[in-house]
Amino acid sequence: MAAPVRRVLLRPLRRILTQIPGSGVASSGCRHLSVGLRVPAVQKPNEAVLESPSPWRLLGAVFVQRLAVISRDRSSIEKDFAELLKQTELERSLLADHELRLLEDAERVSRKQEEDYDSDEDSGQDIVTAQDLEDTWDQKLRQFKPAQRLTEADKKADRTCLERCLEDSLVLLVKEKIGSEDVWLLPQVQWENGETLRETAERALTTLTGNSIKATFLGNAPCGVYKYKFPKDVRTESCVGAKVFFFKALLGSGDLAPNKKGGHVWVSKTELQDYLKPQYLEQVGRFMVDL
């Protein structure tokens, strides 16, 4: 009984669907209702098609910074403020042990000048007064000679030497040949398959000639990026230029061996403009902090 009832209920729907082209329902009587949608054929990917290589070379560069060795000279405002703090601290402080000893020595001297002074109080004692100690300290202070703030490298203006500008931070720059032009840059090398960009930057530092530098890299992410095109005489369609990713590192110890060709320099922030091109300097200046 269920089959006839189902055919009666589905007959009006089948009549409507037979008038719709592509519905998959024939005009002749059928026992099964087939409502289908056209599914477009899935096109298989062509495995023979390879991705075209990027016309930009990836480079990793290291920003090696030597921190300041000594503090800078105080300005007039800093000197006045330091003197004010010293005076305030002196007025609000208690007497030190040495100052108390000076008072005791002064009291002992005043007792000796009295008529009823008993000399047996100090018999058999080798008394060293606080004033004697101050005289000894003054002699040692006169013999002390502080180191010069200006080194021999400063006097000779030798920027290849690391022992210069002790009150400023210095950055390592190297000279590289790009095309037919010698350009000053941060140490950099081309990225190779299988290594991270930080490993590329570390390799840029370790592969320098005469290198004994030990540096601490600050993080695994680059602190800046710079993109430039190669000179026209070396530029091709498959190699337009380079994208340089910078990584910061702090100098621990070591230096580069001297080079007759002057292949490297240690320069301060204000001296960078003497070597780097304006666009390159702008990118480097964004992450350089003069500590």
Side-chain angles (χ1 to χ4, degrees), residues 74-92:
R74 293 178 179 177
S75 63
S76 59
I77 297 178
E78 292 174 338
K79 292 179 180 178
D80 294 341
F81 185 70
E83 187 64 27
L84 176 61
L85 290 180
K86 182 180 178 181
Q87 184 65 26
T88 303
E89 182 180 0
L90 179 62
E91 294 174 356
R92 297 181 179 179

Side-chain angles (χ1 to χ4, degrees), residues 51-106:
E51 294 183 0
S52 58
S54 173
W56 297 92
R57 291 182 182 177
L58 299 182
L59 302 175
V62 56
F63 180 86
V64 184
Q65 187 174 15
R66 189 219 67 183
L67 299 181
V69 179
I70 59 177
S71 60
R72 295 183 178 179
D73 289 330
R74 293 178 179 177
S75 63
S76 59
I77 297 178
E78 292 174 338
K79 292 179 180 178
D80 294 341
F81 185 70
E83 187 64 27
L84 176 61
L85 290 180
K86 182 180 178 181
Q87 184 65 26
T88 303
E89 182 180 0
L90 179 62
E91 294 174 356
R92 297 181 179 179
S93 64
L94 301 177
L95 295 178
D97 294 340
H98 181 70
E99 294 172 325
L100 293 175
R101 186 172 178 179
L102 285 173
L103 295 178
E104 293 176 358
D105 292 342

Side-chain angles (χ1 to χ4, degrees), residues 58-190:
L58 299 182
L59 302 175
V62 56
F63 180 86
V64 184
Q65 187 174 15
R66 189 219 67 183
L67 299 181
V69 179
I70 59 177
S71 60
R72 295 183 178 179
D73 289 330
R74 293 178 179 177
S75 63
S76 59
I77 297 178
E78 292 174 338
K79 292 179 180 178
D80 294 341
F81 185 70
E83 187 64 27
L84 176 61
L85 290 180
K86 182 180 178 181
Q87 184 65 26
T88 303
E89 182 180 0
L90 179 62
E91 294 174 356
R92 297 181 179 179
S93 64
L94 301 177
L95 295 178
D97 294 340
H98 181 70
E99 294 172 325
L100 293 175
R101 186 172 178 179
L102 285 173
L103 295 178
E104 293 176 358
D105 292 342
E107 183 181 357
R108 186 183 300 112
V109 172
S110 63
R111 286 202 312 267
K112 288 182 179 180
Q113 296 176 354
E114 296 178 356
E115 295 180 357
D116 58 347
Y117 173 71
D118 187 3
S119 60
D120 294 337
E121 296 180 5
D122 300 331
S123 61
Q125 296 183 3
D126 186 12
I127 299 177
V128 179
T129 63
Q131 188 62 43
D132 295 336
L133 292 177
E134 288 188 3
D135 295 339
T136 304
W137 296 337
D138 289 339
Q139 291 179 0
K140 292 183 178 180
L141 180 60
R142 295 190 189 99
Q143 296 174 359
F144 174 76
K145 294 182 179 180
Q148 297 292 331
R149 299 180 68 90
L150 291 179
T151 63
E152 291 296 328
D154 289 321
K155 297 176 182 178
K156 297 179 181 179
D158 183 10
R159 295 186 177 182
T160 62
C161 181
L162 187 60
E163 300 299 327
R164 61 180 295 268
C165 294
L166 299 182
E167 62 182 14
D168 295 325
S169 297
L170 298 182
V171 181
L172 175 62
L173 299 180
V174 295
K175 185 187 295 184
E176 293 191 5
K177 198 174 189 62
I178 299 180
S180 59
E181 183 181 3
D182 291 332
V183 182
W184 287 98
L185 301 168
L186 298 175
Q188 64 181 31
V189 291
Q190 186 172 347

